[in-house]
Amino acid sequence: MLNYVWVPVLVDVAQIIAAVFVGVELFRIFTETKREHVRQMKLQTLDMANHQVDILEESNRWIIEKAREGYFENPEALTETDIVNIRYYLNRVERLATGAKHATYSVEVIRDISSTSLRSRFLALAKFIRHRREAHGNPKSWVEFEWLVFELELISEGKVFPSGWQFGD
């Protein structure tokens, strides 16, 4: 025969066991949701990157060619067409960087597919960016691109900016 003294204890134990099961299930759901979010973010980043490559291919080639010639060393000498081309590239990359900063895109995926090219374009255009910020009194111009390059630098092994780097203090 069941001793009714144990009923409240058994009810308490059952509630504790139920709470543990609910907690474990909530943790599992949270973990799966987070895993799926990360997977989706990486897929979005790859999709965006493929799209950006097509759009920016001509700009990239132009920037590489002109950077080798030292063309961006004097931003004041650039033609209006050059400025439009550079701004087009920078504005596109700024959108990518903003997405990465707000976790829409994966910084790790961006690192894996275009860290070196983003860094080299940023360094090639650094004088232009600085000049535009100062000339237009807008220190926020392309700061997300700058942030992304530094973030990529932090998570990339063995890569460092030149000593004394102080752009965007």
Side-chain angles (χ1 to χ4, degrees), residues 29-66:
I29 290 169
F30 172 76
T31 302
E32 285 179 18
T33 302
K34 182 172 171 71
R35 197 174 300 134
E36 179 61 20
H37 172 73
V38 169
R39 189 179 81 70
Q40 286 298 322
M41 184 174 63
K42 288 179 179 182
L43 287 173
Q44 282 181 312
T45 306
L46 287 171
D47 186 49
M48 174 280 316
N50 287 331
H51 181 69
Q52 291 290 355
V53 165
D54 293 340
I55 291 173
L56 296 177
E57 187 173 346
E58 189 174 322
S59 294
N60 273 328
R61 275 189 265 127
W62 182 80
I63 291 169
I64 291 166
E65 177 185 311
K66 295 297 183 182

Side-chain angles (χ1 to χ4, degrees), residues 130 150 160-167 169:
R130 182 182 296 128
F150 277 91
V160 291
F161 277 106
S163 68
W165 182 262
Q166 294 183 356
F167 186 74
D169 289 345

